Amino acid sequence: HTHRDRLAMSTFTSKTNRINFPAPVKESVAKSSGGYCSITDCLVSLYARGEGKNGPKGVFLGEIAHIYSAAANGPGGQGGKSSEFLASEDNAMAICSGCHTNIDKIRQRYPEDDLFAMKAVRERAQAIALHPIVKHYVTRLGPSRLDELLREHPTESDEQIVERYIRFGHTAIPLLDLAKQVSAEQCQIIAGVAPLLISQAIQ
């Protein structure tokens, strides 16, 4: 390595020889995930509502995990990758603390190729969710169906995935609203509370 390379590496290599992510990498990966755990069967929200100096603020509760390990003796090893790669966005994924623990403890169930594939789907889904209608439906319905469409149709264009998801949303949203209305009306019978108030509470 040149002197410049050694200086760059020192910015993300800790005293314990862990290859840590610089803060901008963490921020970028958290944003790219859309605020959801990138593990396929989880997708839990990584944000909680909190109070900032200027009003309500989202608090990031997730973790930015290494796919190839931060340390040479880490759960997944480092695969012969360079320090630069290990500290880059390419090796980072946003996940919840529970999934992070699971991956570290039962690593054989989470090969690196699978983790890279999950990261790619979640980040592509988030990019597609910038479409205003898709974003609205994801807000109402969660991200799982959008991610599923990407896994089911990996060769389709973003535009084709958007069309599929919008068709899904057009059907799913009325059914969801109907389910909420039925639940609210049944709760009214039990508790004597106005259906509108219960519907708002469910939302």
Side-chain angles (χ1 to χ4, degrees), residues 58-78:
V59 179
F60 185 69
L61 300 179
E63 299 179 3
I64 306 303
H66 293 75
I67 297 176
Y68 283 103
S69 297
N73 61 348
Q78 294 182 328

Side-chain angles (χ1 to χ4, degrees), residues 15-58:
K15 294 180 181 179
T16 58
N17 293 321
R18 283 178 53 86
I19 308 297
N20 296 321
F21 294 123
V25 166
K26 292 182 178 181
E27 293 168 4
S28 179
V29 172
K31 182 177 180 181
S32 296
S33 73
Y36 296 101
C37 179
S38 300
I39 301 302
T40 297
D41 57 358
C42 181
L43 294 176
V44 69
S45 174
L46 300 179
Y47 281 90
R49 295 284 289 178
E51 290 297 326
K53 292 182 179 179
N54 300 316
K57 179 182 179 182

